[in-house]
């Protein structure tokens, strides 16, 4: 026997063993594998399948070769698969990957990611396809669930802001095509914070779920119901034949939502209502941002009108928006260009009949429009968050002016400045006041800080700390517009108040009846009982002043004594030393 023949005989068992090992590895591999024929008589047929592949499709491995490729695929898929394989058969690609839909033995679809390559024979000709299949149905379900969660609210299952935005864009496009109308409804649960705090957040969440169900149940089939978070819902309505149709939809919603709620699993019953704002969509060129803003403004109008009702955004609200926008632009320009300056209204020592102090009142000195009073910008300062800067500017300028008067010998030793509750929530506000007073060497008693009733009633630790710190620095802290709200009476002991300013509505009724006079006298006595000065606002007549003097009122201010004036004009009046 030749050497080559001996080698061939020795190699045969090794080759057989290797092939056996390969077949074993193929059959027992944990990943689904199959061999697909490429010869003219086997093209597209399954030559062999391992256990994992057969199990994936519900068969025994021996059954697979006897099945036609179309039996394991959805109609038309097997033919398309062969087209996909052409690139690796003709050698332009080494492998191909795609999503493959198999048909399970019981008929359901098995989704898999298929990776295939070509096995070449000794001559380099293609023998068969070797394919690996990884089932991805669970992954696809997870992706589908993630996509669903990305556009739905976790608590209620309603659409979230992202999906609502997409639906609104589509609705505006359809509105243009169909020549129909739509509406955006903004719903806010009335007094939801009180429900949450008194009954617990778990009941609050359960209430929101129940409300979501009712909103969906009574909304039109083509509506999108969304939760924006918290206690806010939005309903997008499409296909209205007339703008007036929104009234019926809004009424049905309110009727459904005001019925008592029986919370499942708790035995608890809750009563809740909503306030609703409606922005009617009559044009396809509307901005989604504007529509949301309009519905929100209308919702606040419904709350202001007493809650448990709906309001439409209309020309009056549109005019208010335009005016507010103009006022905010004016205020921002005034702050940027230093046009916000104080005027000063004189305050009288009633017993002595002489001017002893002033109140600083903000004015905008606009080069084109002249002097602009707070009624045109103070509300927008609160809403926009600019009020803290407005108050800070008034404090700075009032203290600086007081120091100048002292230097110039003007007989004024005290200035009052009103401070918003929102300013007191700014941690740096008190420090700003203290720094200005120290810079101009103004003592604590020379600056009086007037607080609103809301500040005294606030439960905010920051507000409480700010008031206490201002008083601790020696500044005289007092309450403005006293007795306009009943609840402030219970909080007079909470802070060391140096003065109480009786609201002008009480002073205006002096002399009308004994009862009206008795109310003012009682308020003055109440201030004295708390060792605070009684200050009357809105004094317009000599009779009012004399009545207040007889009652023992300490200070007075109003048109009788002089309006708010620029510093120079007020200094001239003080220099004349008028007496009352």
């Amino acid at each position: 026997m030749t050497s080559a023949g001996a080698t061939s005989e020795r190699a045969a068992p090794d080759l057989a063993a290797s092939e056996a090992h390969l077949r074993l590895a193929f059959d027992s591999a944990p990943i689904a594998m199959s061999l697909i024929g490429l010869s003219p008589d086997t093209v597209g047929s399954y030559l062999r399948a391992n256990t994992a592949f057969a199990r994936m499709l519900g068969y025994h491995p021996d059954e697979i070769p006897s099945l036609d490729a179309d039996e394991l695929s959805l109609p038309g898929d097997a033919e398309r698969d062969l087209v996909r394989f052409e690139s690796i058969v003709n050698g332009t690609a080494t492998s191909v990957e795609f999503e493959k839909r198999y048909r399970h033995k019981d008929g359901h679809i098995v989704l898999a990611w298929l990776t295939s390559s070509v096995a070449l024979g000794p001559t380099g000709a293609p023998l068969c396809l070797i394919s690996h299949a990884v089932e991805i149905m669970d992954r696809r379900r997870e992706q589908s669930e993630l996509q669903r969660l990305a556009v739905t609210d976790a608590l209620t299952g309603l659409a979230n802001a992202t999906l609502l935005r997409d639906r609104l864009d589509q609705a505006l496009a359809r509105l243009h095509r169909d020549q129909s109308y739509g509406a955006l409804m903004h719903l806010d649960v009335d007094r939801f914070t009180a429900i949450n705090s008194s009954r617990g957040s778990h009941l609050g969440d359960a209430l929101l779920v129940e409300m979501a169900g009712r909103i969906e149940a009574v909304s039109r089939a083509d509506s999108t119901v969304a939760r924006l978070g918290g206690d806010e819902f939005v309903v997008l309505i499409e296909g209205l034949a007339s703008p007036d149709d929104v009234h019926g939809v809004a009424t049905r919603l309110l009727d459904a939502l005001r019925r008592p709620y029986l919370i499942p699993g708790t035995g608890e019953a809750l009563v809740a209502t909503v306030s609703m704002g409606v922005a009617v969509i009559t044009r396809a060129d509307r901005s989604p941002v504007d529509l949301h803003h309009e519905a929100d403004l209308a919702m606040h109008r419904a709350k202001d009108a007493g809650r448990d009702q709906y309001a439409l955004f209309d020309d009056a609200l549109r005019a208010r928006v335009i005016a507010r926008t103009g006022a905010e632009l004016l205020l921002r320009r005034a702050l940027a260009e230093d046009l916000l300056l104080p005027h000063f209204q004189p305050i009288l020592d009633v017993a002595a009949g002489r001017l002893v102090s002033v109140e600083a009142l903000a004015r905008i000195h606009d080069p084109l429009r002249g002097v602009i009073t707070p009624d045109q910008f103070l509300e927008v300062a609160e809403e926009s968050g600019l009020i803290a800067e407005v108050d800070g500017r008034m404090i700075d300028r009032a203290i600086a002016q007081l120091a100048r008067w002292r230097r110039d010998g003007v007989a004024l030793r005290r200035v009052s400045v009103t401070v918003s509750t929102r300013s007191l929530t700014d941690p740096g506000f008190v420090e700003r006041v203290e720094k200005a007073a120290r810079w101009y060497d103004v003592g604590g008693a020379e600056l009086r800080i007037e607080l609103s009733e809301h500040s005294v009633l606030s439960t905010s630790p920051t507000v409480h700390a700010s008031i206490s710190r201002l008083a601790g620095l020696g500044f005289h802290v007092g309450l403005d517009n006293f007795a306009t709200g009943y609840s402030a009476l219970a909080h007079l002991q909470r802070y060391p108040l140096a003065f109480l300013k009786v609201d002008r509505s009480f002073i205006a009724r002096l002399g009308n009846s004994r009862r009206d006079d008795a109310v003012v006298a009682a308020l003055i006595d109440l201030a004295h009982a708390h060792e605070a000065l009684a200050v009357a606002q809105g004094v317009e007549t000599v009779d009012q002043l004399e009545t207040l003097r007889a009652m023992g009122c300490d200070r007075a201010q109003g048109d009788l004594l002089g309006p708010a004036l620029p510093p120079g004009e007020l200094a001239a009046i003080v220099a004349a030393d008028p007496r009352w």
Side-chain angles (χ1 to χ4, degrees):
M1 180 179 293
T2 65
S3 174
T7 301
S8 176
E9 288 184 8
R10 287 195 303 271
D14 294 338
L15 181 60
S18 178
E19 289 177 349
H21 290 154
L22 287 174
R23 280 195 295 272
L24 180 63
F26 176 88
D27 290 337
S28 60
I31 190 170
M33 300 176 65
S34 61
L35 302 180
I36 300 173
L38 289 178
S39 63
D41 57 333
T42 63
V43 64
S45 299
Y46 285 89
L47 305 178
R48 188 180 186 88
N50 70 354
T51 303
F53 183 88
R55 186 188 304 118
M56 181 179 74
L57 300 184
Y59 292 95
H60 186 277
D62 293 341
E63 294 181 89
I64 299 297
S66 64
L67 298 174
D68 189 79
D70 286 336
E71 295 181 76
L72 297 178
S73 300
L74 295 189
D77 278 10
E79 187 175 340
R80 282 192 293 268
D81 293 346
L82 287 176
V83 174
R84 288 169 172 158
F85 292 142
E86 285 182 1
S87 62
I88 55 175
V89 174
N90 62 29
T92 58
T94 57
S95 65
V96 64
E97 298 181 45
F98 57 89
E99 195 175 276
K100 165 70 177 170
R101 299 181 301 174
Y102 289 101
R103 192 203 308 271
H104 192 274
K105 188 174 185 178
D106 64 12
H108 78 265
I109 297 174
V110 175
L111 199 61
W113 187 255
L114 194 67
T115 303
S116 299
S117 57
V118 175
L120 302 176
T123 64
L127 287 179
C128 65
L129 291 172
I130 303 176
S131 295
H132 305 81
V134 177
E135 190 172 0
I136 59 172
M137 189 67 80
D138 290 342
R139 186 191 310 170
R140 178 57 58 84
R141 291 194 190 98
E142 291 174 1
Q143 290 175 343
S144 178
E145 179 64 10
L146 288 173
Q147 290 172 350
R148 186 190 68 80
L149 292 174
V151 295
T152 56
D153 173 58
L155 177 64
T156 63
L158 298 177
N160 64 10
T162 300
L163 181 56
L164 176 64
R165 185 165 52 248
D166 182 63
R167 294 279 178 83
L168 182 52
D169 288 339
Q170 295 177 33
L172 290 172
R174 282 191 291 268
L175 189 76
H176 178 72
R177 184 179 63 248
D178 300 341
Q179 299 296 305
S180 59
Y181 302 96
L184 197 68
M185 297 180 162
H186 189 158
L187 290 71
D188 188 271
V189 183
D190 297 327
R191 301 184 178 90
F192 183 72
T193 301
I195 294 173
N196 245 1
S197 59
S198 63
R199 308 296 290 273
S201 60
H202 64 291
L203 279 181
D205 287 348
L207 172 63
L208 293 176
V209 172
E210 291 295 307
M211 282 188 157
R214 291 191 188 182
I215 295 171
E216 280 197 302
V218 299
S219 295
R220 293 162 49 112
D222 57 356
S223 299
T224 297
V225 182
R227 177 178 176 238
L228 299 186
D231 59 338
E232 294 181 90
F233 297 93
V234 170
V235 180
L236 169 62
I237 303 172
E238 299 184 57
L240 295 176
S242 165
D244 292 336
D245 290 349
V246 298
H247 296 286
V249 179
T251 300
R252 286 197 304 273
L253 279 169
L254 290 177
D255 288 344
L257 293 173
R258 64 168 62 102
R259 297 197 311 270
Y261 295 84
L262 296 177
I263 305 302
T266 66
E268 294 273 359
L270 291 175
V271 176
T273 59
V274 301
S275 297
M276 183 191 313
V278 182
V280 179
I281 311 172
T282 58
R283 303 195 322 270
D285 61 351
R286 297 304 312 281
S287 160
V289 174
D290 288 345
L291 288 171
H292 277 289
H293 185 53
E294 290 173 4
D296 182 66
L297 286 174
M299 182 272 292
H300 284 290
R301 172 190 271 185
K303 282 195 179 293
D304 292 342
R307 301 182 176 90
D308 188 23
Q309 56 188 287
Y310 70 93
L312 267 64
F313 184 86
D314 54 18
D315 290 340
L317 269 177
R318 184 171 287 105
R320 178 183 168 189
V321 171
I322 294 172
R324 185 198 181 282
T325 302
E328 183 172 348
L329 289 173
L330 172 67
L331 180 57
R332 290 187 182 278
R333 184 167 65 86
L335 291 171
E337 299 177 11
D338 205 20
L339 304 177
L340 188 72
L341 301 170
H343 282 197
F344 298 89
Q345 185 173 34
I347 297 177
L348 182 77
D349 181 322
V350 176
R354 302 182 65 179
L355 302 180
V356 292
S357 62
V358 291
E359 180 180 359
L361 300 169
R363 300 288 189 270
I364 292 177
H365 288 246
D366 186 86
L368 298 177
R369 298 169 55 186
V371 178
I372 299 174
T373 53
D375 58 294
Q376 299 183 56
F377 63 83
L378 208 56
E379 182 179 352
V380 76
E382 286 277 5
E383 293 175 356
S384 63
L386 295 172
I387 190 64
E389 182 58 26
V390 171
D391 288 349
R393 295 278 183 99
M394 286 301 99
I395 291 280
D396 293 344
R397 282 155 178 73
I399 290 176
Q401 185 58 53
L402 190 64
R404 281 193 289 271
W405 280 331
R406 182 175 57 196
R407 182 197 63 200
D408 297 340
V410 179
L412 287 172
R413 292 292 179 266
R414 291 185 178 85
V415 63
S416 298
V417 182
T418 301
V419 170
S420 164
T421 306
R422 193 159 183 173
S423 297
L424 298 172
T425 63
D426 182 348
F429 184 78
V430 175
E431 184 178 353
R432 179 172 184 171
V433 176
E434 182 184 13
K435 184 177 180 180
R438 188 167 58 248
W439 178 265
Y440 289 102
D441 193 26
V442 170
E446 295 177 284
L447 177 64
R448 292 182 169 176
I449 305 293
E450 299 186 11
L451 308 175
S452 68
E453 181 187 56
H454 188 263
S455 298
V456 176
L457 298 176
S458 174
T459 58
S460 165
T462 305
V463 172
H464 179 77
S466 295
I467 296 175
S468 299
R469 189 176 169 195
L470 286 168
L473 291 169
F475 302 122
H476 284 193
V477 177
L479 185 60
D480 193 15
N481 301 324
F482 178 60
T484 53
Y486 68 90
S487 45
L489 296 172
H491 293 263
L492 291 181
Q493 301 286 359
R494 189 176 185 185
Y495 302 106
L497 299 177
F499 60 92
L500 300 177
K501 299 188 76 170
V502 180
D503 188 69
R504 64 181 63 249
S505 61
F506 295 101
I507 306 304
R509 294 197 295 268
L510 277 176
N512 288 350
S513 67
R514 291 178 58 187
R515 183 168 60 182
D516 289 334
D517 290 359
V519 170
V520 175
L523 293 174
I524 294 171
D525 290 343
L526 185 62
H528 291 161
H530 286 82
E531 299 181 349
L533 294 176
V535 184
Q537 300 181 88
V539 179
E540 297 181 352
T541 68
V542 173
D543 288 342
Q544 290 172 346
L545 181 60
E546 291 304 324
T547 302
L548 290 167
R549 183 175 281 131
M551 291 177 176
C553 186
D554 302 292
R555 302 285 185 270
Q557 67 183 105
D559 289 344
L560 175 67
L561 311 170
L565 298 169
E569 294 181 34
L570 183 65
I573 292 176
V574 173
D577 195 17
R579 302 299 176 93
W580 282 270

